[in-house]
Amino acid sequence: MRSVENALGLEVPLNAQYIRNIIMGAHAVHDHIVHFYHLAALDWVDIVSALKADARATAALGQKLSSWAGNSYEAVKTSQDKLKTFVASGQLGIYGSGYWGHPAMKLSHEVNMLAAHHYLQALEYQREINKVVGILGSKTPHIQNVAVGGVANAINMDSPTTLNMERLYYIKTLIDKVGDFVENVMLIDTAAVGAFYAEWTNYGAGVMNYLSVPDMPMDTKGTVFALPGGYIADGDVGKFTAIKSYNDSFFRDNVRESIKHSWYDGEWNKHPWEEETVPKYTDFQDNGKYSWVKAPNFMGKPAQVGPLANVLCMYVAGHAPTKKYVDKALALVSSLAGAKVGIGALHSSIGRIAARSVRCAVLYDTLKTQWQALVDNIAKGDVKTFNPPTFPKGEQRGYGYHEAPRGALSHWIVIKDGIIKNYQAVVPGTWNSGPRNHTDAPGVYEAALVGTPVADPEKPLEVLRTIHSFDPCIACAIHLVDKDRHEIVRVKAV
Amino acid sequence: MSDLKDYPDIADGIEKKGISRRDFMKFCTGVAVTLGLPFGMGTQIAEAVLNPKRPPVIWLAAQACTGCTEALLRSNHPTLEHLILDLISLEYHETLNAGSGKQAEDWLRKTIKENKGKYILVVDGSIPVKDGGIYGKIGGKTMLSLCEDMSSQAAAVIAIGSCASWGGMPSADPNPTGATPVYQVLQNKGIKTPVINIPTCPPNPYNFLSTVLYYLTFKKLPELDDKLRPKFAFSRLIHDNCERRPHFDAGRFAVQFGDEGHRKGYCLYKLGCKGPETHNNCPTLLFNDVGSGAWPVGTGHPCFGCSEKGVGFTVPLHTPAKLKDITPPVNFPGIAEKRGKGVTVAAAAVVAGLAGAAIGAGVATSKKLDKKKTGSESKE
């Protein structure tokens, strides 16, 4: 959508920007909650140990850590009983393959139980905030309200079948409801897991070139954004360059993708507008081609994308809500760990998880301001949601970017005489899971695994912790090879 | 429905599972209503879901975006947690498995062995078959061989989403991976396991849940149409149940997003709405449990036919749909006739020639009305 708008020089009405922003924010809050509690937490939390917890002690711990009303003894007891009944049924299903009792599981019964309790509660909150996406986007996850030039939502406060006051206040109610959970449960839980697994601040940093794009445009042209973005080279916050607009050449001219180690014909490293991807499968070649994923690179180097990159860039750019929540999370980690923990600790697997919670809280704040901006704009009498596109003769090139839940995403298009001539999507999953690039520099996942201790090579839970910390959006194979280069185990992280 | 206290065994079972009696019966009744079953059937459903051995379900993700799983996370009645903790035993699901790699694959082999011939296999995503299936592998095996192997040992296969049902987005021209629907893979291999297709992108979670619960309750598959889709969800065109249908019939259309017609909620046919050639229950079931208008046409965007092969991901978004069986009437019948003597609204529809498209019982009803009308006219 944005790539076509960029190619055509088409402005997007303010209402459409705000509606898109609210959808992006609500979707990302939902996504971050699901990722932490349902797709990553069980790498750190032992459900079987949780069954042995004292429910009263668990509730007391929860109440000490947070003002969350859902940490009552009765609520914790209900969750624990539910789990006990489930386990007693003997049909463990998807939980049967978990790493219960693994030597790398270090939390107390009570901390495990508190996390398991929130695992169940989180299901409810991800559903609630996702309703915002449903109201504006028609259905989820495949929303169907966006159009080149704006959105298909009609705004009419005096019609029963359009975006009207009832719909707007339903959205506001849902946004308000999720705030308490994000600030007083999720942010606290990730800080607690970080503090209790403090040694994990030493593992999983990998590539420390961080790329993030600005998002939530506040004007029709894409020059003012609610959330800043940019590039940090070598993990050095002094080397930050902001990306300023939808036409910023710093981003546009520095993205390339290499296929030297990917199952496509050729060995090139090209700008997305110039790429032509022709599949050519060879099976696994240790030093040749070994992945369907291309190797994106920025200024010739691999770059890490995702909430950590986003939070670091926003922090360096002086974004106040980001600073507020980073400082809050680090203060809690420091107090629980009994030692001062600084922002440097974020360059790690556990830091990546903490950054996702910080981003989730920032997005909650931003959702409130986006909703207010939409209502204020409608109050001014502006009901415009769409600028119709026209496709001229000749060739146009465009690109559009978005800071997605898993990081910087960009789409690149070449249009000729109104028909798509080339289209390339450079997505967060490829930035992070790409293989070695044109200079044989390791990809982001690959680099992050170097130096990770593995207690039991048959059950390399530690590897999963790091891979899952990126929130992989693909089922990916990880092949662990010992120093004699015999493959010892394959792990599929999803 | 009779009160739950008439069924003490069931009531005890529910309480042990941590669900309130009221919520549980509400849910079972809801399922019965969704399926169009008699009210009392809720109790029968309750008994089936309280069967102490939860039926095993294995989920295989093929060439998919995981959107079908995401859609299940949105379900409110029942919720995902009730589904997998209380109703079924979800044995394997790549996104939700607690274990990965060897641990997950070992569990899969174990559960297939233990539940051979008894489990329901759910497949999301199309199956890449070109070049021997190299475009999709899990644990070194092609999705093609996994799909064949796992479906041949299943009691039934549910192909969830448009990709698994008819190829979906990956099968769009030029279909580089040879994306093939699940039923076709089974046919090619002569595998006889019954297949149910639940297309839509993403599928409404309730169409999936109702299918599973139907099967658990009645030990048979729901009635299917010629494309293997459950009739309770796919027997009607979207156009037949669309809340904007009166605007179509009256010739009131939106022509561009944001124009006056669009802002009055008029029909989206001229914007390319594929409702007239797409079978689905989106307008009656809606999405995300958020009240009125929560579906594409409801928010102002034309249906793009995602559930219909040959329409979704095939015909351009704003190309007008083919009108399968209904054209707007030239004249409208009078409805407000003299009290007690005039034609009913339904009979008026017959006069307009609109009910001709109705099927089954609908047709029979129309005939009766037709006779009545003739009768009253002859008296006059």
Side-chain angles (χ1 to χ4, degrees), chain B residues 47-105:
Chain B
E47 282 168 1
V49 298
L50 290 170
N51 186 328
K53 183 154 167 64
R54 305 196 310 284
V57 175
I58 297 174
W59 186 300
L60 174 67
Q63 200 163 242
C65 69
T66 318
C68 299
T69 298
E70 282 265 334
L72 264 190
L73 279 170
R74 277 66 161 161
S75 164
N76 289 273
H77 61 277
T79 59
L80 180 73
E81 57 269 34
H82 277 194
L83 178 75
I84 66 178
L85 296 181
D86 305 319
L87 303 181
I88 63 166
S89 183
L90 184 62
E91 292 291 321
Y92 177 91
H93 186 304
E94 288 166 17
T95 305
L96 301 172
N97 283 336
S100 286
K102 187 174 184 300
Q103 283 70 46
E105 301 307 314

Side-chain angles (χ1 to χ4, degrees), chain A residues 3 251-259 268-277 294-299 397-400 409-414 420-427 430-431:
Chain A
S3 66
F251 181 79
R252 184 191 65 210
D253 298 344
N254 283 313
V255 176
R256 298 283 185 283
E257 290 196 291
S258 158
I259 58 159
W268 43 255
N269 182 44
K270 286 185 180 175
H271 188 278
W273 279 332
E274 312 298 334
E275 291 181 29
E276 189 190 358
T277 39
K294 296 183 219 172
N297 49 93
F298 194 75
M299 301 178 87
R397 295 176 166 217
Y399 71 102
L409 173 146
S410 56
H411 284 199
W412 306 75
I413 193 167
V414 181
I420 298 170
K421 189 180 161 196
N422 196 5
Y423 199 94
Q424 295 288 341
V426 185
V427 304
T430 55
W431 280 103

Side-chain angles (χ1 to χ4, degrees), chain A residues 30 39 86 89 91 93-94 97 99 126-127 130 138-140 142 144 152 155-156 167 281 458-459 492 494, chain B residues 54 73-75 81 90 94-95 98-101 103 105 134 137 201-202 262-263 290 292 299 301-302:
Chain A
H30 142 85
L39 305 180
F86 174 76
S89 79
Q91 292 183 282
I94 52 170
S97 56
Y99 302 94
Q126 62 86 20
R127 265 195 293 276
N130 199 268
S138 315
K139 59 187 170 60
T140 75
H142 182 178
Q144 202 174 317
I155 296 175
N156 187 348
R167 296 281 93 181
Y281 183 71
E458 284 295 311
K459 291 184 180 174
K492 195 170 85 259
V494 183
Chain B
R54 305 196 310 284
L73 279 170
R74 277 66 161 161
S75 164
E81 57 269 34
L90 184 62
E94 288 166 17
T95 305
S100 286
Q103 283 70 46
E105 301 307 314
I134 52 148
K137 287 185 178 181
C201 184
H262 191 243
R263 292 188 59 245
V290 287
S292 70
T299 56
H301 195 285

